[in-house]
Structures are given as structure tokens and as C-alpha cells.
Amino acid sequence: MAGDEDVPIFSSSRFFLQLSLMWPLKNEQPKWFYLRLAVFAVLLYLTITLSIGVHIVKSLQEGGIDISEDLAFFATSICLALMMILYALKQRDLLALMLDLCNFAQFGKPPQFDSVNKTLEFWVKFIFAYCIFGAVFYNLVKIIEIPQCRRSRKIPGTCGSLIQLWTPFDPDDGVTASLIVLYVFLIALIMVKVTLMVSVQVLEISWNIKLRIDQLKSMLLGCFDDDVVASRRRLNHCIQYHIDIISYSERFNECFTNGMFVHLATTGLVCGCLENQIVKEHQLEAILHIFGWIGSIFVSCLGGQLLMDSVPLDKFSSFLLLIDLQSTSIADAAYGSKWYQADVRTRKDLILMILRSQKPLFVATGPFNVMCLALFVSIMKMSYSVLTLLN
């Protein structure tokens, strides 16, 4: 099977996912890739997730302690670990899909392919920079607040790290505290970009499928300009392209549906907890954290929406997407062609293509919903419900 070097697109997102242990290194054997990811997941659960869980239990036993920050990090660590595992299990299928999206031998390169992917590469790098800045800023704030943390805490816990952890030993020892802060910060650098990078890859793949849908529409509009034989040949070509696009969408859905379900199930809870921190404590670092989660779920919902709607890239770049979102379809392009010049058999085949085109392509979030902008609004409503519950 061909490797990463044969995929000219998605290079930045694949590289950043390598930094999160979710994409194999060059020429790395699958067994070593899965082994190092498994070791990291076990260490994460044993050292971070369990420590947060114990801290939450002791906070509840003490009473009068706001546990929203602990709940947010506890849900985050579980979500990120599950997403890492689910993504890694589908990595080979995902690479095969990427290779097919770069194959233009049969239908040619879609218009604006290079410019669109160049723009997407810019946004991937921007999002990665935001993730790193957020993690560094969050940790610096916690380090500055060490004296305040030690005065106000009611139960033993680490101060100065991104997350307050319960430890069975003295967390205020200078060497021990420094090692804990460094360890948690390194873990955060690996994991902080997981949801955003996976979400961005959803957007990248969906936009590349959308480019092929737009190309198919252009082919359909000029399908019946010549004689009957040439028109029939062009329609067969379009039908085959349509079948390939449907196949791309189905494989795309299989690669991401379980991970997106975990993302969906967690985001509302995490955002609600972070909103509670912002309302009660006015924490600037919580604002950076919540923007990351809102951005990741918005990007993935946008990617799902693109499979159902056609949106010009300049509207995305100018952030007018929600205002000017307008749907067009393959069926509309087929009906807008000069089908009336074709013979009866060709018209019947075109009708079948139109009927299939009316069934939208989508990315599912498990068995319950699909990724779209309406789902994004529902998740934001859910986060508000969590906020009211915590208050």
C-alpha cells in the first residue's frame, strides 16, 4: 500500500496529528504505532484521569468546593483518549481515502483544488498555533496563581499545573511539584490539539469531496451538448463519478462516525462546566479553553454541512457562511442540463441519478444524529443547560 509521501494534501494536519501520537511516523510499523499509543493511553488514565477523579471525590466529600473545572478536565481527558484510540483504529482506512482523493487519473483535478487546499493548510496551522498558545497561557496563569492556590485549597492537590491533581505524596515539595507541572504540561501539549486537529481533518476531507461534487455538476451541465452517442458516453462518465463520490462519503463517514459521537457526547458537558468557571470566577484561561471546544465542534459540524450544501470558499474565508449558506444539489445540475436533447434510455438513467442525488451525503455522530450546523446549535443549548444545572 502507498504511504504518506503519495498524499500531497492534508500534510499539516497529518504532521500535527503525529505530534499527538495519532498518525504513524515515516516507515513506522503498525504494531509499534499502536503500541506507543496504547502505552500513552494507559499512562494518561493512570496518572491524570484517575487523579482528577479522586480530586473530584474528595472535593465532594469536603463540600463547598466548585468542581466544574475538575469535571471539565475529567470529561476532556476521557474524550481525548477515546478519540485518539478510535481515530488510530481507522488510520489505515483514512489514509486509503486520502490517496483516492488525490487520484485524478479518471476524472481530472477539480477546479480550485490547489487554492482551496492551500487555504485549508493555512487554517490548520492557525488552529495548531492557537492550541499551543492556549496551553502555554493556561499553564502560566496556574504557575502565577500558586500562592493563591495554596492558601485557598481545602484538600491536598497540585498547584501550578494545568489541572489540580490529587497525589498520594506531598505536592508542595519543590522538586516533586516541578516534575508534576512539567509532566502535566507535556501531556497537555500532546492532547490539547486532538479534537481540533481531528475536526479540521473532517473539514478538509469534506471540502475535497465537495470540490468533486462541484466538478460533477459542471460536467452534468455540459453533458448533452453534442450528439446522442457522445451524450450517452458523457452521462456514463458522470454516473461513475457520482458512484465514486458516494463511495468517498460512505468511507469518510465510517472513519469518523464513532469519534464524532464521542466528541458530541462530551462537548456540551465541557462547555457548560467552562461557562460556569467564566461566570463565577471570570477566568480568562477558561475563555481560551471554551473557544477551543466551540471551535472544534463548529469546524466538524461545518465539515458535515458541506456534504449537504455548496458554499463558495470566499464566504467561508470572510466568515459569512452562516448568513449566506445556500444549498445546491447534483439533482439541480442534472435538471438544469439539456436532458431534453437526449434519447429516452439516457433520460431514464438520468432520472435514476437524480433520485439518488436527493439522498444527502453526511457524517453521522453514531446512530443518533449527523454533523451539521443545526447540531452545533443544539450542543450550545445543551451547554447552557449544564450551566444552569451547575448553578
Side-chain angles (χ1 to χ4, degrees):
M1 180 178 175
D4 286 16
E5 62 275 6
D6 299 303
V7 184
I9 55 178
F10 315 123
S11 58
S12 293
S13 61
R14 285 186 284 116
F15 173 71
F16 297 142
L17 286 168
Q18 279 183 347
L19 300 180
S20 293
L21 311 179
M22 295 169 62
W23 196 271
L25 302 175
K26 186 176 181 181
N27 300 323
E28 183 179 23
Q29 294 296 322
K31 62 179 181 180
W32 298 116
F33 166 59
Y34 293 123
L35 178 61
R36 63 186 174 89
L37 181 61
V39 170
F40 177 79
V42 170
L43 288 175
L44 170 70
Y45 274 107
L46 291 178
T47 60
I48 302 295
T49 309
L50 290 180
S51 296
I52 298 173
V54 174
H55 195 271
I56 292 174
V57 172
K58 290 187 174 293
S59 298
L60 292 174
Q61 291 174 346
E62 177 69 24
I65 300 177
D66 183 13
I67 62 170
S68 59
E69 183 176 22
D70 290 334
L71 281 175
F73 279 114
F74 186 76
T76 297
S77 62
I78 293 177
C79 170
L80 298 185
L82 288 175
M83 286 190 70
M84 290 173 74
I85 294 170
L86 292 170
Y87 182 91
L89 291 175
K90 291 292 184 180
Q91 186 272 330
R92 292 173 67 86
D93 296 335
L94 189 55
L95 177 59
L97 175 60
M98 291 178 178
L99 288 167
D100 288 341
L101 289 174
C102 299
N103 185 356
F104 311 119
Q106 187 172 3
F107 303 104
K109 182 182 289 189
Q112 298 184 335
F113 177 86
D114 293 325
S115 61
V116 166
N117 280 286
K118 183 178 180 181
T119 302
L120 291 172
E121 286 282 316
F122 167 79
W123 285 108
V124 169
K125 295 174 183 177
F126 174 82
I127 289 173
F128 174 78
Y130 178 85
C131 292
I132 299 302
F133 169 77
V136 172
F137 181 84
Y138 207 119
N139 205 81
L140 285 175
V141 170
K142 294 297 183 181
I143 292 174
I144 294 171
E145 294 177 348
I146 288 178
Q148 178 184 346
C149 171
R150 289 177 177 174
R151 288 194 304 267
S152 62
R153 68 184 177 188
K154 297 180 180 180
I155 60 174
T158 58
C159 289
S161 64
L162 278 165
I163 313 164
Q164 278 207 26
L165 305 175
W166 175 88
T167 58
F169 42 80
D170 181 13
D172 293 336
D173 176 73
V175 176
T176 303
S178 300
L179 291 175
I180 292 174
V181 170
L182 179 61
Y183 176 74
V184 174
F185 180 64
L186 292 176
I187 293 290
L189 285 180
I190 293 174
M191 298 194 65
V192 70
K193 53 192 176 294
V194 168
T195 54
L196 270 167
M197 286 299 108
V198 173
S199 298
V200 166
Q201 206 165 73
V202 169
L203 179 62
E204 286 183 300
I205 295 174
S206 62
W207 214 306
N208 275 273
I209 295 176
K210 173 197 171 292
L211 289 174
R212 283 152 179 77
I213 293 174
D214 293 341
Q215 184 183 22
L216 175 59
K217 292 175 185 177
S218 299
M219 292 166 61
L220 282 170
L221 289 174
C223 190
F224 305 104
D225 290 341
D226 292 326
D227 59 86
V228 173
V229 176
S231 297
R232 179 70 199 180
R233 185 175 63 253
R234 289 200 190 96
L235 181 61
N236 289 339
H237 195 60
C238 290
I239 291 173
Q240 183 58 54
Y241 201 9
H242 190 210
I243 293 172
D244 288 354
I245 290 173
I246 294 171
S247 175
Y248 295 154
S249 176
E250 291 174 347
R251 292 161 59 191
F252 177 33
N253 180 56
E254 290 174 1
C255 289
F256 286 97
T257 179
N258 293 328
M260 289 298 102
F261 173 71
V262 173
H263 196 0
L264 164 67
T266 310
T267 301
L269 173 61
V270 173
C271 288
C273 292
L274 293 173
E275 288 165 6
N276 186 62
Q277 288 178 247
I278 295 169
V279 170
K280 288 185 176 181
E281 303 178 23
H282 308 288
Q283 294 185 5
L284 178 59
E285 63 272 23
I287 296 176
L288 290 175
H289 194 176
I290 195 173
F291 278 171
W293 278 95
I294 292 175
S296 66
I297 197 65
F298 174 77
V299 166
S300 54
C301 286
L302 173 61
Q305 189 75 42
L306 283 177
L307 291 182
M308 297 181 283
D309 298 320
S310 179
V311 184
L313 183 65
D314 57 343
K315 293 184 180 179
F316 169 67
S317 300
S318 59
F319 297 98
L320 296 176
L321 183 65
L322 291 173
I323 300 175
D324 291 323
L325 191 63
Q326 300 197 1
S327 174
T328 58
S329 67
I330 295 173
D332 292 335
Y335 186 75
S337 65
K338 299 178 181 179
W339 54 266
Y340 45 82
Q341 296 182 3
D343 62 330
V344 175
R345 180 189 170 191
T346 302
R347 293 181 193 178
K348 289 181 178 179
D349 290 344
L350 185 64
I351 289 173
L352 293 176
M353 186 177 182
I354 291 174
L355 289 173
R356 179 57 185 87
S357 300
Q358 292 173 347
K359 182 180 179 181
L361 307 177
F362 59 86
V363 180
T365 54
F368 302 106
N369 214 321
V370 298
M371 300 301 297
C372 60
L373 295 177
L375 179 63
F376 171 76
V377 176
S378 298
I379 294 173
M380 293 299 97
K381 290 180 179 178
M382 177 183 172
S383 70
Y384 180 74
S385 299
V386 173
L387 171 62
T388 57
L389 180 63
L390 291 173
N391 285 275

Short mmCIF file of all heavy atoms in Angstrom, two decimals, residues 242 330-332 334-335 339 349-359:
data_model
loop_
_atom_site.label_atom_id
_atom_site.label_comp_id
_atom_site.label_asym_id
_atom_site.label_seq_id
_atom_site.Cartn_x
_atom_site.Cartn_y
_atom_site.Cartn_z
N HIS A 242 -20.30 9.96 -9.92
CA HIS A 242 -21.25 10.07 -8.83
C HIS A 242 -21.14 8.87 -7.88
O HIS A 242 -21.17 9.02 -6.66
CB HIS A 242 -22.68 10.16 -9.39
CG HIS A 242 -23.71 10.51 -8.37
ND1 HIS A 242 -25.01 10.08 -8.44
CD2 HIS A 242 -23.61 11.23 -7.22
CE1 HIS A 242 -25.68 10.54 -7.40
NE2 HIS A 242 -24.86 11.24 -6.66
N ILE A 330 -26.68 18.04 -6.87
CA ILE A 330 -26.40 17.37 -8.13
C ILE A 330 -27.68 17.22 -8.94
O ILE A 330 -27.67 17.34 -10.17
CB ILE A 330 -25.76 15.99 -7.84
CG1 ILE A 330 -24.40 16.19 -7.18
CG2 ILE A 330 -25.61 15.18 -9.13
CD1 ILE A 330 -23.76 14.89 -6.70
N ALA A 331 -28.79 16.98 -8.25
CA ALA A 331 -30.08 16.85 -8.94
C ALA A 331 -30.45 18.13 -9.66
O ALA A 331 -30.96 18.11 -10.79
CB ALA A 331 -31.17 16.47 -7.94
N ASP A 332 -30.18 19.28 -9.05
CA ASP A 332 -30.48 20.57 -9.71
C ASP A 332 -29.64 20.74 -10.97
O ASP A 332 -30.12 21.22 -12.00
CB ASP A 332 -30.20 21.72 -8.74
CG ASP A 332 -31.18 21.74 -7.58
OD1 ASP A 332 -32.30 21.22 -7.73
OD2 ASP A 332 -30.81 22.26 -6.51
N ALA A 334 -28.35 18.34 -12.79
CA ALA A 334 -28.82 17.40 -13.80
C ALA A 334 -30.08 17.92 -14.48
O ALA A 334 -30.23 17.82 -15.71
CB ALA A 334 -29.08 16.04 -13.16
N TYR A 335 -30.99 18.48 -13.70
CA TYR A 335 -32.23 19.01 -14.28
C TYR A 335 -31.96 20.26 -15.10
O TYR A 335 -32.68 20.55 -16.08
CB TYR A 335 -33.23 19.32 -13.17
CG TYR A 335 -34.58 19.73 -13.68
CD1 TYR A 335 -35.45 18.79 -14.22
CD2 TYR A 335 -34.98 21.06 -13.66
CE1 TYR A 335 -36.69 19.15 -14.71
CE2 TYR A 335 -36.21 21.45 -14.15
CZ TYR A 335 -37.07 20.50 -14.67
OH TYR A 335 -38.29 20.88 -15.16
N TRP A 339 -31.15 17.89 -20.93
CA TRP A 339 -31.56 16.49 -20.93
C TRP A 339 -32.62 16.20 -22.00
O TRP A 339 -32.76 15.07 -22.46
CB TRP A 339 -32.10 16.12 -19.55
CG TRP A 339 -33.19 17.03 -19.06
CD1 TRP A 339 -33.04 18.12 -18.28
CD2 TRP A 339 -34.60 16.92 -19.34
NE1 TRP A 339 -34.24 18.73 -18.03
CE2 TRP A 339 -35.22 18.00 -18.68
CE3 TRP A 339 -35.38 16.04 -20.08
CZ2 TRP A 339 -36.59 18.21 -18.74
CZ3 TRP A 339 -36.76 16.24 -20.14
CH2 TRP A 339 -37.35 17.31 -19.46
N ASP A 349 -31.89 6.90 -17.30
CA ASP A 349 -30.71 6.79 -16.43
C ASP A 349 -30.47 8.07 -15.65
O ASP A 349 -30.07 8.04 -14.48
CB ASP A 349 -29.48 6.45 -17.27
CG ASP A 349 -29.52 5.03 -17.81
OD1 ASP A 349 -30.32 4.23 -17.30
OD2 ASP A 349 -28.75 4.72 -18.75
N LEU A 350 -30.73 9.20 -16.30
CA LEU A 350 -30.56 10.48 -15.63
C LEU A 350 -31.56 10.63 -14.49
O LEU A 350 -31.23 11.18 -13.42
CB LEU A 350 -30.72 11.63 -16.63
CG LEU A 350 -30.45 13.04 -16.08
CD1 LEU A 350 -28.99 13.16 -15.65
CD2 LEU A 350 -30.79 14.10 -17.13
N ILE A 351 -32.78 10.12 -14.69
CA ILE A 351 -33.79 10.18 -13.62
C ILE A 351 -33.32 9.38 -12.40
O ILE A 351 -33.48 9.83 -11.25
CB ILE A 351 -35.14 9.64 -14.14
CG1 ILE A 351 -35.75 10.63 -15.14
CG2 ILE A 351 -36.11 9.41 -12.98
CD1 ILE A 351 -37.00 10.13 -15.82
N LEU A 352 -32.75 8.22 -12.63
CA LEU A 352 -32.23 7.41 -11.52
C LEU A 352 -31.12 8.15 -10.77
O LEU A 352 -31.03 8.10 -9.54
CB LEU A 352 -31.72 6.07 -12.03
CG LEU A 352 -32.77 5.11 -12.61
CD1 LEU A 352 -32.10 3.87 -13.18
CD2 LEU A 352 -33.79 4.72 -11.53
N MET A 353 -30.28 8.83 -11.51
CA MET A 353 -29.20 9.61 -10.89
C MET A 353 -29.78 10.76 -10.05
O MET A 353 -29.31 11.04 -8.94
CB MET A 353 -28.28 10.17 -11.97
CG MET A 353 -27.05 10.87 -11.43
SD MET A 353 -25.97 11.42 -12.79
CE MET A 353 -24.63 12.12 -11.84
N ILE A 354 -30.82 11.41 -10.58
CA ILE A 354 -31.48 12.50 -9.85
C ILE A 354 -32.10 11.98 -8.55
O ILE A 354 -31.98 12.61 -7.49
CB ILE A 354 -32.53 13.19 -10.74
CG1 ILE A 354 -31.84 13.97 -11.87
CG2 ILE A 354 -33.40 14.13 -9.91
CD1 ILE A 354 -32.80 14.56 -12.88
N LEU A 355 -32.74 10.82 -8.64
CA LEU A 355 -33.36 10.24 -7.45
C LEU A 355 -32.32 9.94 -6.37
O LEU A 355 -32.54 10.21 -5.18
CB LEU A 355 -34.12 8.96 -7.82
CG LEU A 355 -35.41 9.16 -8.63
CD1 LEU A 355 -35.97 7.81 -9.06
CD2 LEU A 355 -36.44 9.92 -7.82
N ARG A 356 -31.19 9.37 -6.77
CA ARG A 356 -30.14 9.08 -5.79
C ARG A 356 -29.53 10.36 -5.22
O ARG A 356 -29.14 10.42 -4.05
CB ARG A 356 -29.05 8.21 -6.43
CG ARG A 356 -27.89 7.87 -5.50
CD ARG A 356 -28.37 7.16 -4.24
NE ARG A 356 -27.31 6.93 -3.28
CZ ARG A 356 -26.91 7.80 -2.35
NH1 ARG A 356 -27.50 9.00 -2.28
NH2 ARG A 356 -25.95 7.50 -1.50
N SER A 357 -29.47 11.40 -6.03
CA SER A 357 -28.87 12.65 -5.58
C SER A 357 -29.71 13.34 -4.51
O SER A 357 -29.20 14.19 -3.77
CB SER A 357 -28.70 13.60 -6.77
OG SER A 357 -27.87 13.04 -7.76
N GLN A 358 -30.98 13.01 -4.42
CA GLN A 358 -31.84 13.64 -3.42
C GLN A 358 -31.62 13.07 -2.02
O GLN A 358 -32.16 13.60 -1.05
CB GLN A 358 -33.31 13.48 -3.84
CG GLN A 358 -33.63 14.29 -5.09
CD GLN A 358 -35.03 14.03 -5.62
OE1 GLN A 358 -35.69 13.09 -5.21
NE2 GLN A 358 -35.48 14.87 -6.54
N LYS A 359 -30.85 12.00 -1.93
CA LYS A 359 -30.46 11.47 -0.62
C LYS A 359 -29.14 12.11 -0.22
O LYS A 359 -28.12 11.88 -0.85
CB LYS A 359 -30.32 9.95 -0.69
CG LYS A 359 -29.97 9.31 0.64
CD LYS A 359 -29.85 7.80 0.50
CE LYS A 359 -29.48 7.16 1.84
NZ LYS A 359 -29.33 5.68 1.72
#
